[in-house]
Amino acid sequence: MRFILLPALASAALALAAPASAQVTRVQSNPQALILDGADVKAGTDLFYLSGQLASPIDPAKSFADVKSIEDLGDTKTQTISALKRIKAILESRDYAMSDVIKLTLFVAADPKLGKMDFAGANEGFKQFFKTAENPNTVARSTFQVAALAGPYFLIEIEAIAAKKR
């Protein structure tokens, strides 16, 4: 018994046998926008989900237990930069980079000095890590004002999702 493999079937068989190529497509309708509309992550892509990260005390000699005021952590911009530095360090320890981040969720508490969340401060901190010379990428992002975070002096918590080709 003889079988003839048609070219279309041969191509399909090769496609099934080949490993899926990883691909992340960043969707941005306005290139000037600070954030993406979304990110399309194809099968075969490695994903890394980071838990929410809080700011570290400004004084590296202090622990979280030593934090007694907002001044120990800084304003929203300062805390955003600190939390993103923590995210960057975690990513690098897993062979990811900030350019691999595709989604951030920001939880922002009201700054007592302003009486509301400091959205502008969070954006100023964000701009130091995204759409820069070092990292021209940006991310899909959601921002929520929350009643409080894990401690009374924390103004922002950031969680992240990173994706990269295998």
Side-chain angles (χ1 to χ4, degrees), residues 26-28 30-36 88 97-102 126-140:
R26 293 166 189 273
V27 180
Q28 187 168 29
N30 176 358
Q32 304 306 316
L34 186 59
I35 61 174
L36 298 175
K88 183 178 181 182
M98 289 299 277
S99 60
D100 295 319
V101 175
I102 58 166
F126 174 87
K127 288 177 188 177
Q128 293 193 25
F129 293 85
F130 300 96
K131 286 202 152 193
T132 65
E134 182 182 338
N135 177 18
N137 292 335
T138 191
V139 299

Side-chain angles (χ1 to χ4, degrees), residues 2 5 10 14 35 37 39 57-58 62 76 93 105 107 115-116 128 142:
R2 293 176 75 191
L5 191 57
L14 287 174
I35 61 174
D37 296 330
I58 292 172
K62 288 188 174 183
T76 300
S93 76
T105 304
F107 302 96
K116 62 180 183 174
Q128 293 193 25
S142 299

Side-chain angles (χ1 to χ4, degrees), residues 9-73:
L9 289 175
S11 294
L14 287 174
L16 289 174
S21 64
Q23 184 179 352
V24 176
T25 303
R26 293 166 189 273
V27 180
Q28 187 168 29
S29 56
N30 176 358
Q32 304 306 316
L34 186 59
I35 61 174
L36 298 175
D37 296 330
D40 185 12
V41 180
K42 299 293 185 198
T45 303
D46 287 337
L47 292 171
F48 184 50
Y49 295 82
L50 285 84
S51 296
Q53 298 298 311
L54 296 164
S56 297
I58 292 172
D59 180 350
K62 288 188 174 183
S63 71
F64 285 122
D66 298 323
V67 172
K68 304 296 182 211
S69 71
I70 287 178
E71 287 71 30
D72 289 330
L73 297 167

Side-chain angles (χ1 to χ4, degrees), residues 55 70 73-83 153-156:
I70 287 178
L73 297 167
D75 61 9
T76 300
K77 177 182 175 182
T78 302
Q79 289 193 34
T80 300
I81 292 166
S82 178
Y153 310 116
F154 292 105
L155 299 175
I156 190 163

